Amino acid sequence: MKKLLIASAVSAAFAAPTVALAQAARAPTLSQVLDASGLNVSGYLDAGYSYANRNVEAGGFSNRVFDSQNNSFALHQFGLQVAKQPSRGFGGVVNITVGSDAQFIHSFPEGVAANTFDLTQAYGQYSTGGLTLMAGKFVTLAGSEVIWSPSNSNFSRSILFGAIPFTHTGVRAGYAVSDTVTLYGGINNGWDQLTDANKGKTVELGASIIPNKALTINVTGYFGQERATTPGAPPASGVAQDQRQLLNVVATYTINNRMSAGGEILSVTQDRAAGSAKYNGLAGYFTYNLNREWRVAARAEMFDDKNNFHFGPNNQPAGTDVKYNEITATLAYLPNSSVELRTELRLDRANNAVFRNSDGTTAKSLQTLGFQGIYKF
């Protein structure tokens, strides 16, 4: 009997590590835990090099939002998003942007130029049937291009990208009327305002129309009281707030499984003490996948800054009508689904000498070269 007890104890001692290892082997992975919870975690690293033949930094002039470096490497963005967006019930999204680009997308009163961290989105949502309700801070409905770098086909952003709001804080509702039409509506603090810089609110209206599998059309409008000056700055000539209207139409068309094309129209009007100001623009896009690893993309756009309202002062007298156009060509190499390497050439021109050289002289053109690496996870 004593021998039997000793043998059983020895067997149990040897079996215990085996059981522990088996239990450890069955422990769920982080991916399994996230899948079970309904959470989706995604992100990317965006780093690159930019060269400009004019001075686009301090003391110069740039019509770009992000790639405004004369000759520099930069960590443009580390983007991270955690989302739970069930088709029914409550969910939410948190999205942060870290890097040099984050300095330019802050909402009032966050706007500290040296701050390279931005809470780009943070909102809760509720979905039921075809209705989705959102409350918090979220990206704008307007525009073809977005802050999230992997979703764009070019390295640099368009002029139009910098002429629309980045984010809004408020409430938004989306309702899928059918499989082809979704309507949007909301009220928010205005353009890039975490807290309202004035007493007025901005109304958001939009529609997404998919007449067939190849074509998507998005129409967006923003209407509200916005100061012609920077949010938080003293009102010009004692005018506390003025009316601003934005109308934006974006269309994308899939030609075949390799080619796609798109277009964008933008019109913005702003009431102000000095008289009404306006700017409008037009952009066209083309993308062609040579094969699974190589892709070419092109963009051409025109931008009419009437009264020099959007970009001024830019070496031109106040009220000067300045017209811009640009063409961009990008070659991308995609060795796998996580990595994308891009080379870009871009030429900008203006009807007036708005660009500035390092010696202080001015010019009507700007040429840039860019290299970009994106890692997605």
Side-chain angles (χ1 to χ4, degrees), residues 246-325:
L246 176 152
L247 178 62
N248 182 245
V249 180
V250 174
T252 57
Y253 183 75
T254 303
I255 301 170
N256 54 42
N257 60 355
R258 287 192 173 189
M259 287 189 292
S260 63
E264 178 179 356
I265 300 173
L266 173 69
S267 177
V268 175
T269 59
Q270 171 77 57
D271 293 334
R272 55 180 183 163
S276 179
K278 180 179 182 180
Y279 58 81
N280 52 64
L282 174 69
Y285 299 84
F286 178 78
T287 303
Y288 180 66
N289 295 304
L290 301 173
N291 51 44
R292 290 184 178 181
E293 295 183 338
W294 293 93
R295 183 187 68 221
V296 293
R299 178 184 62 219
E301 65 178 321
M302 299 179 293
F303 186 81
D304 186 0
D305 191 9
K306 298 183 184 298
N307 313 107
N308 205 18
F309 169 67
H310 180 63
F311 282 121
N314 51 358
N315 313 317
Q316 300 298 307
T320 303
D321 186 0
V322 183
K323 295 181 173 64
Y324 301 83
N325 59 73

Side-chain angles (χ1 to χ4, degrees), residues 226-243:
E226 296 285 354
R227 289 180 182 171
T229 54
T230 304
S237 302
V239 179
Q241 49 198 19
D242 306 304
Q243 289 292 325

Side-chain angles (χ1 to χ4, degrees), residues 21-46:
L21 289 172
Q23 290 175 342
R26 291 195 297 269
T29 64
L30 177 60
S31 177
Q32 290 171 330
V33 171
L34 292 175
D35 289 342
S37 66
L39 285 174
N40 178 43
V41 179
S42 58
Y44 62 92
L45 284 170
D46 170 11

Side-chain angles (χ1 to χ4, degrees), residues 208-241:
S208 179
I209 306 166
I210 309 174
N212 56 59
K213 292 182 179 180
L215 179 62
T216 300
I217 302 171
N218 294 314
V219 181
T220 306
Y222 287 95
F223 314 92
Q225 292 182 320
E226 296 285 354
R227 289 180 182 171
T229 54
T230 304
S237 302
V239 179
Q241 49 198 19

Side-chain angles (χ1 to χ4, degrees), residues 5 19 27 36 39 56 70 179 266 287 301 317:
L5 290 173
V19 172
L39 285 174
V56 295
N70 292 339
D179 293 337
L266 173 69
T287 303
E301 65 178 321

